[in-house]
Amino acid sequence: MKISRIDHLGIAVKSIEEVLPFYENVLGLKCYAIEEVADQKVKTAFLKCGEVKIELLEPTSEDSTVAKYLEKGGRGVHHMAFYVEDGVANALAECDEKGIRLIDQAPRPGAEQMMISFLHPKSTVGVLTELCEKA
Ligand code: CMX
């Protein structure tokens, strides 16, 4: 697969509203989009930091994977997303062939008109890994 960059870092938060002042007023970053991703049961807020984006993730339902993560004491960086130039489906096939545990068998819609897929942290050295491409 051809990865060109880190697209974004996902940060799990209980409330976007509560943490935005830190990112905007202290770090001086600007939130340019807030979007709900129904499929993933999260509300997202995006800030740009150079080429890389920060995605704040707030669960919209108790059975959201992010709610579960926070409930278990997880904080801060939740996942890292890589932009795949030659297609997420292609990258998934390659990961599968190399014995990596796939969470998604096929790309699904994410925020910012991206197609996304996750690889399980148990086979990615502990970091929940997202692969993404523009839809
Ligand atoms: N990063 C690293 N490890 C994680 C993790 C994370 N974000 N979330 C869970 N884990 C670990 C757990 O600590 C656990 O480890 P141990 O067995 O050593 O305790 C292991 O993974 C399995 O955890 P689990 O609680 O049994 O599994 P969950 O039901 O919590 O599911 C996961 C974990 C990764 C499969 C699930 O969160 C998932 O499917 N994630 C992909 C989708 C997603 O995260 N969507 C939200 C973002 C959407 C967006 O960006 O738009």
Side-chain angles (χ1 to χ4, degrees):
M1 74 187 81
K2 205 169 143 201
I3 285 173
S4 54
R5 59 187 156 89
I6 292 176
D7 185 80
H8 64 268
L9 295 175
I11 315 277
V13 302
K14 282 187 181 151
S15 158
I16 286 174
E17 198 186 341
E18 268 175 28
V19 303
L20 258 189
F22 168 70
Y23 287 93
E24 294 200 303
N25 304 339
V26 181
L27 299 185
L29 304 176
K30 181 145 182 47
C31 173
Y32 65 89
I34 293 199
E35 181 184 345
E36 190 166 330
V37 184
D39 192 44
Q40 298 284 339
K41 297 180 178 158
V42 289
K43 183 167 125 185
T44 64
F46 281 90
L47 304 101
K48 264 217 157 173
C49 182
E51 283 285 289
V52 180
K53 293 172 279 183
I54 308 260
E55 179 190 34
L56 303 176
L57 292 161
E58 176 187 311
T60 52
S61 132
E62 273 173 24
D63 62 343
S64 158
T65 54
V66 174
K68 208 170 158 192
Y69 177 78
L70 290 168
E71 221 169 80
K72 285 186 170 174
R75 288 291 176 273
V77 177
H78 174 264
H79 68 267
M80 178 156 61
F82 294 99
Y83 194 89
V84 187
E85 291 293 334
D86 52 346
V88 172
N90 175 55
L92 284 180
E94 188 180 329
C95 287
D96 193 33
E97 201 181 289
K98 291 181 172 165
I100 301 296
R101 190 166 148 198
L102 311 182
I103 291 175
D104 303 298
Q105 301 303 316
R108 42 198 250 179
E112 302 218 292
Q113 287 115 36
M114 293 274 202
M115 293 305 286
I116 64 171
S117 288
F118 285 89
L119 306 177
H120 201 283
K122 287 291 171 196
S123 59
T124 57
V125 237
V127 179
L128 175 59
T129 300
E130 178 184 334
L131 304 171
C132 63
E133 67 178 327
K134 264 281 179 238

